[in-house]
Amino acid sequence: MSTPESAGSPATFDVSSRYGPPRRGLSPRAQRVLIFGSLLVAFATTVWFTISLSIGRLDYQDVGYTIVSDSRAEVDFEVTKDFEDTAQCMLHALDDSYAIVGARIVTIGPHEGSGDADRSSYYSAELRTEHRAVTGIVDSCWLVD
């Protein structure tokens, strides 16, 4: 029969001899440096995304519409873009069931300006319709290369 000492009892079994000594954690100074570095990288990434998203950005919104007759509608809209960019916008005239009764693509070329406030301009475009429209909208706008 074997004795408890020879069978590897918990009193004689040493885990560190099998797996090595326990790992040491980071020192408090190393932890502070790691946290500060992570915060710095997060801040730099946020600044980079903010700047890169504002360059080459195109925004548009409906301002109003006028139903001129049964076969014409006029859409007023605002476009915000960089001065040197050319954009195209798809305009729709809709009837009371939201069906498209008129459509037009409008090209907006480069324009002059010096500040952020000058990036926005108001436009008005006339659309021919198949029958009487009840509203006019800007469906989408995109930059032209």
Side-chain angles (χ1 to χ4, degrees):
M1 246 195 192
S2 66
T3 62
E5 289 84 26
S6 64
S9 68
T12 61
F13 186 69
D14 188 13
V15 176
S16 66
S17 66
R18 183 175 222 181
Y19 299 108
R23 279 185 52 194
R24 281 187 47 209
L26 292 174
S27 69
R29 182 176 189 274
Q31 289 176 354
R32 285 191 302 270
V33 168
L34 187 63
I35 290 170
F36 180 73
S38 298
L39 290 173
L40 187 64
V41 167
F43 179 73
T45 302
T46 303
V47 168
W48 181 75
F49 272 119
T50 302
I51 291 171
S52 67
L53 289 177
S54 66
I55 296 173
R57 193 176 78 192
L58 174 67
D59 289 326
Y60 59 91
Q61 73 178 41
D62 302 322
V63 174
Y65 66 91
T66 305
I67 306 304
V68 179
S69 70
D70 288 345
S71 61
R72 291 185 346 189
E74 190 173 293
V75 177
D76 302 321
F77 57 102
E78 177 186 21
V79 176
T80 303
K81 64 179 186 64
D82 289 337
F83 303 117
E84 67 276 356
D85 289 341
T86 299
Q88 288 186 328
C89 294
M90 172 62 80
L91 308 178
H92 285 166
L94 307 175
D95 66 5
D96 56 359
S97 64
Y98 300 105
I100 298 172
V101 295
R104 180 177 176 190
I105 295 177
V106 177
T107 302
I108 301 164
H111 64 279
E112 303 258 338
S114 59
D116 277 346
D118 296 334
R119 292 181 64 226
S120 294
S121 297
Y122 290 93
Y123 301 94
S124 183
E126 190 173 290
L127 288 79
R128 295 179 61 188
T129 62
E130 293 179 20
H131 60 286
R132 187 165 188 84
V134 296
T135 188
I137 62 167
V138 178
D139 181 63
S140 61
C141 289
W142 59 92
L143 293 176
V144 179
D145 294 330

